[in-house]
Amino acid sequence: MGSLPPATRCTWWKDGTVYQIWPASYKDSNGDGVGDIRGIISTLDYLRDLGIDIVWVSPMYDSPQVDMGYDISDYQNIYSKYGTVADAEVLIKECHDRGMRIIFDLVINHTSDQHAWFKESRSSRDNSKRDWYIWRPAKYDDDGNRKPPNNWRAHFGGSAWEWDEGSQEYFLHLFCPEQPDLNWENPVTRDAIYASAVKFWLDKGIDGFRVDTMNMYSKGISLPDAAIHDPNSEFQFAPELFCNGPRMHEFLRELNHKVLRHYDCMTVGELPHTPDKADVRRYISAKDPMLNMVFQFDIVDLGQGADYKFETIPYPLSTLKATIAHLQTLISGTDAWATAFLENHDQGRSISRFASDTPENRVRSGKLLAMLLATLTGTLYLYQGQEIGMINIPQGWPPHDFEDVEAVNYLKVVRARSNNDPKAVADAIAGICKVGRDNARTPVHWDDSAHGGFTSGEPWMRVHDLYPEINVKQQQTDPKSVLTFWKQMLKMRKEHRDCFVYGEFEMFDPTDEHTITFSKTWEGERVLVCLNFSGETRNVFVPKGWGNEEEWDVLIESRKGSERGILGGWEGRIYRVR
């Protein structure tokens, strides 16, 4: 990376900080209890002042909302509770007027079963859109019982196939039964996707897309049974068969060639189940244009169960360090680009997962993670509420407060498999409260008024109990708040752009289980990031050949006035070493 000329490396989508908005839970402008586009518009000055360059809005398209908007019934319309296409056009303009860019979600592995395309497809086997989706005949066992075409398990549980009584065949759905998978093998389908979902919004002025499930479009033709990973289940999770299929690169090249390359836009793809560095780099090489960058889930997957993510497992800090180093060195010496993130709409809150969310430690932990994230190479992504240190839902929340279809379905599976065993159910709830998607989807806390100022009505989802203590209004005037510190870190990231955004990364002391120490280097500038991921005081690690810590300049520290050479519990310091 250090050898790239400035003209090659400096690009708005590399330099910029992206802020993800989950519209349902962000800001409600009309009191109906659901966030909306006008609510987003009302906070754009706040985002600009925070230091945000690019606003990413999760799906706002028309949808029955079975999976919170990832089941799209009309790509060219807006879900009525969020607003209208005209509102979206105002949002685009207002972002641009403030010098910010805006990107939307692109969900084109599947649609809603209420999309006009699927309604035609399922109407008869002879319909012209029948092969726009993936249909297969039933199998039958020795006793004549009807069975799905293969043993794949859907992401949210149960078979990945749904029987259609009207046309007497099964259709594939890797997610909910209401989310049938599109058939990317059909070139007519692909062209319709490009026109309806991609070009339509780029022509309205958006600046790119976050591409949902970008490596699942190509599944091959044969769709064989998966290996048995869970002998207690009839259906098996099979990412090795539906991710990174034989035509995946071909499809993305075509999308880029036919549409994306004609616009000054950015793309960031969701790339799960792709552990090999070489496989990742193939998707994001500048010399073979497909997408600009991808989200890998190595960090946020830590602690999740191998087969069911809610069956959480402990891991040491050294594993987190090795994972960070793996992702940071992914693009070293290549023409690819990286992302840096700890939260999104599908993950638990980072303070609760990677640090300490106890009352005495959560502010320190929020600042510590800000120092980690804002100094990593790649495009930086923040998720709504992360900048004020929002944390996971309490373990005491009852299951009837869970809204996420993945969590609700998993709890049903556990109850059925365990015969409603109290310990099994309690363990399932604990896992949901730790890594479940509802953690990220509780409404944002804007102030300490009712419902955290999110809505004047009754919120669609329960607001976190701690909104009186964790909210934007309180932190805006608190010089020691997590929000204030994030502003400082984003300002510093811009001031030291070469080193923080583009610099070479090196991890030190990889086996230490209490601290994370790494350097960022760009030409003559060297920075050392020292972070204490424990509740006890630790010594600053001094790398060999780096001289004396007392000679280094302190760029920033999470707690002013700390003793040199020492890090208090959950504290960090960044040095500039001359």
Side-chain angles (χ1 to χ4, degrees):
M1 288 185 295
S3 61
L4 291 177
T8 302
R9 62 181 176 83
C10 295
T11 308
W12 64 265
W13 47 263
K14 292 182 179 181
D15 294 350
T17 296
V18 185
Y19 186 95
Q20 182 190 358
I21 290 175
W22 179 256
S25 296
Y26 185 67
K27 179 70 170 164
D28 174 22
S29 70
N30 61 7
D32 68 354
V34 178
D36 49 47
I37 295 174
R38 292 186 180 276
I40 297 172
I41 293 170
S42 73
T43 69
L44 291 180
D45 288 338
Y46 163 76
L47 296 179
R48 181 190 58 192
D49 293 345
L50 174 60
I52 300 304
D53 305 291
I54 304 161
V55 176
W56 156 24
V57 187
S58 291
M60 300 189 297
Y61 313 105
D62 206 5
S63 165
Q65 299 291 315
V66 172
D67 185 26
M68 294 301 300
Y70 285 89
D71 50 318
I72 296 169
S73 56
D74 186 349
Y75 288 109
Q76 298 183 8
N77 210 343
I78 297 293
Y79 177 51
S80 60
K81 285 187 176 293
Y82 294 162
T84 65
V85 171
D87 290 332
E89 291 170 341
V90 172
L91 173 62
I92 295 166
K93 180 180 183 301
E94 292 292 335
C95 283
H96 290 164
D97 286 349
R98 289 166 173 79
M100 297 189 292
R101 308 266 187 157
I102 182 169
I103 66 174
F104 283 5
D105 245 80
L106 184 62
V107 186
I108 49 178
N109 175 71
H110 47 265
T111 68
S112 165
D113 63 353
Q114 298 305 302
H115 196 292
W117 297 346
F118 187 72
K119 288 181 178 181
E120 285 193 54
S121 182
R122 78 186 314 173
S123 64
S124 78
R125 295 193 193 184
D126 299 326
N127 187 275
S128 61
K129 288 188 173 61
R130 182 65 171 183
D131 65 351
W132 284 37
Y133 294 83
I134 301 172
W135 295 90
R136 292 291 187 275
K139 289 183 176 180
Y140 292 89
D141 64 18
D142 293 340
D143 297 323
N145 297 308
R146 187 181 69 225
K147 295 290 183 180
N150 64 29
N151 68 345
W152 293 4
R153 191 184 83 210
H155 282 79
F156 302 150
S159 174
W161 296 90
E162 184 76 2
W163 178 251
D164 181 61
E165 191 65 33
S167 62
Q168 293 289 293
E169 282 191 321
Y170 282 93
F171 63 85
L172 180 68
H173 61 90
L174 292 182
F175 295 88
C176 289
E178 298 86 356
Q179 293 170 288
D181 280 42
L182 286 156
N183 179 19
W184 276 71
E185 298 292 331
N186 186 337
V188 177
T189 308
R190 297 199 303 272
D191 284 341
I193 292 169
Y194 303 156
S196 180
V198 187
K199 194 174 185 299
F200 177 84
W201 287 105
L202 288 172
D203 286 342
K204 287 191 175 296
I206 71 166
D207 301 290
F209 296 97
R210 175 264 189 186
V211 187
D212 187 62
T213 59
M214 57 151 279
N215 61 340
M216 298 184 191
Y217 308 157
S218 172
K219 306 167 182 73
I221 302 297
S222 61
L223 308 180
D225 277 343
I228 305 300
H229 302 295
D230 181 1
N232 297 316
S233 176
E234 179 182 0
F235 305 111
Q236 305 297 313
F237 193 48
E240 69 277 9
L241 296 176
F242 61 70
C243 287
N244 306 308
R247 299 184 68 188
M248 201 57 253
H249 298 93
E250 174 192 343
F251 292 156
L252 290 176
R253 287 189 194 102
E254 180 183 82
L255 170 60
N256 189 287
H257 178 76
K258 286 189 171 183
V259 183
L260 298 175
R261 70 186 181 97
H262 300 289
Y263 300 84
D264 178 20
C265 65
M266 66 169 274
T267 50
V268 52
E270 180 187 33
L271 186 66
H273 312 297
T274 311
D276 187 84
K277 283 186 177 182
D279 291 338
V280 175
R281 285 193 290 259
R282 284 190 68 192
Y283 285 111
I284 51 177
S285 170
K287 66 176 176 290
D288 184 14
M290 289 180 240
L291 301 179
N292 298 132
M293 56 190 135
V294 295
F295 292 127
Q296 289 180 270
F297 299 97
D298 303 50
I299 293 177
V300 293
D301 282 350
L302 290 175
Q304 296 185 5
D307 201 37
Y308 291 95
K309 77 177 190 180
F310 301 113
E311 296 173 353
T312 56
I313 53 177
Y315 61 90
L317 184 69
S318 55
T319 299
L320 173 61
K321 293 161 72 168
T323 305
I324 293 170
H326 168 80
L327 294 176
Q328 282 288 282
T329 56
L330 172 75
I331 62 171
S332 184
T334 75
D335 64 351
W337 191 240
T339 58
F341 74 102
L342 292 176
E343 294 188 19
N344 64 32
H345 61 288
D346 284 336
Q347 308 296 332
R349 291 290 184 176
S350 56
I351 291 175
S352 301
R353 293 195 61 194
F354 305 114
S356 172
D357 62 7
T358 62
E360 63 272 19
N361 290 326
R362 64 175 180 248
V363 172
R364 290 186 179 190
S365 293
K367 296 178 180 180
L368 183 80
L369 294 175
M371 298 177 88
L372 168 64
L373 198 56
T375 53
L376 294 180
T377 295
T379 300
L380 174 60
Y381 291 80
L382 285 182
Y383 178 71
Q384 63 183 41
Q386 185 177 358
E387 78 278 12
I388 58 172
M390 287 181 65
I391 61 176
N392 276 358
I393 60 178
Q395 289 285 337
W397 273 24
H400 64 72
D401 283 324
F402 298 158
E403 300 286 349
D404 176 35
V405 62
E406 182 182 29
V408 171
N409 286 354
Y410 174 70
L411 200 51
K412 289 178 182 176
V413 169
V414 171
R415 290 187 189 278
R417 288 175 57 168
S418 71
N419 197 25
N420 221 23
D421 176 70
K423 184 180 185 306
V425 172
D427 288 346
I429 292 173
I432 290 169
C433 290
K434 188 167 184 63
V435 299
R437 303 194 299 180
D438 279 335
N439 289 299
R441 300 178 181 187
T442 58
V444 173
H445 313 158
W446 294 100
D447 55 43
D448 60 2
S449 65
H451 310 308
F454 162 69
T455 180
S456 59
E458 189 66 26
W460 77 273
M461 181 180 187
R462 180 175 171 178
V463 179
H464 199 292
D465 305 355
L466 292 178
Y467 73 83
E469 302 171 35
I470 305 173
N471 64 74
V472 171
K473 184 178 180 180
Q474 181 271 326
Q475 293 192 26
Q476 282 180 317
T477 57
D478 180 0
K480 297 182 179 180
S481 70
V482 176
L483 176 61
T484 298
F485 194 78
W486 261 113
K487 289 181 180 180
Q488 294 170 351
M489 285 306 306
L490 293 181
K491 182 173 182 289
M492 179 172 292
R493 183 173 171 86
K494 287 179 169 62
E495 292 171 346
H496 297 266
R497 181 194 63 181
D498 287 348
C499 198
F500 286 168
V501 178
Y502 298 96
E504 291 284 355
F505 174 98
E506 183 178 3
M507 180 71 74
F508 297 106
D509 206 13
T511 60
D512 184 275
E513 299 295 355
H514 306 288
T515 62
I516 295 179
T517 306
F518 61 88
S519 66
K520 296 297 297 296
T521 305
W522 180 266
E523 296 180 350
E525 184 175 15
R526 290 196 302 172
V527 168
L528 193 69
V529 182
C530 304
L531 309 170
N532 181 4
F533 276 75
S534 77
E536 295 77 38
T537 297
R538 304 287 174 186
N539 292 324
V540 170
F541 177 82
V542 179
K544 185 176 180 180
W546 281 62
N548 192 323
E549 185 267 350
E550 294 180 356
E551 300 172 352
W552 303 341
D553 298 328
V554 176
L555 278 180
I556 194 169
E557 51 191 351
S558 59
R559 186 170 68 89
K560 292 183 179 180
S562 298
E563 182 180 350
R564 291 290 299 241
I566 298 293
L567 292 174
W570 306 106
E571 289 183 0
R573 192 174 300 127
I574 301 176
Y575 297 95
R576 185 174 185 179
V577 183
R578 301 183 184 277

